[in-house]
Amino acid sequence: AVSVLGDVFTIKWNKARDNVAVESYQVFLDGASKKEVADTLAEITGLQPKMTYRVQVRAVDMAGNFSHLSDTLEITMMPTGIVTVDKGM
C-alpha cells in the first residue's frame, strides 16, 4: 500500500515469506539504500514533484543475510501531491 502527503510517501508491504529471524527491511529508492526499518512500513521524505521514483525492499536476517530485492514499484509524484503507482509489490 502507498499513501502520499506533499513530498512524502509511505509504503507498506507484507512480511518476508521466510520471516524466521528477520531483523529489518532495507528500502531502496532508485537503486540506493534509503533507510532500514524494523517493521513493514517506511516513510520516504524529500521527494520532488514530477519525478518518478523506483522503490524496492529486501529483508535482512539476524546473521546479516539478505533476501532478493522485491519487484520494483514505480511512484510518480505529481505537482498537486497526487501520486501514480505502477506495478504493485
Side-chain angles (χ1 to χ4, degrees):
V2 175
S3 79
V4 177
L5 180 60
D7 66 345
V8 176
F9 75 80
T10 303
I11 184 169
K12 181 168 177 48
W13 58 91
N14 295 326
K15 289 183 178 182
R17 281 184 236 150
D18 178 15
N19 64 357
V20 176
V22 169
E23 188 170 76
S24 62
Y25 294 89
Q26 289 181 325
V27 180
F28 290 80
L29 189 64
D30 292 334
S33 181
K34 180 71 174 175
K35 65 175 17 182
E36 193 161 331
V37 295
D39 202 0
T40 59
L41 179 77
E43 183 177 274
I44 307 297
T45 61
L47 303 173
Q48 300 298 314
K50 299 183 181 180
M51 296 289 296
T52 297
Y53 297 94
R54 286 163 237 14
V55 181
Q56 292 174 291
V57 175
R58 71 178 177 186
V60 183
D61 71 12
M62 295 175 86
N65 299 310
F66 302 106
S67 69
H68 294 287
L69 285 168
S70 68
D71 289 337
T72 300
L73 177 67
E74 288 190 353
I75 298 174
T76 302
M77 304 299 289
M78 305 305 256
T80 59
I82 297 170
V83 66
T84 61
V85 177
D86 183 22
K87 191 175 185 180
M89 291 178 80

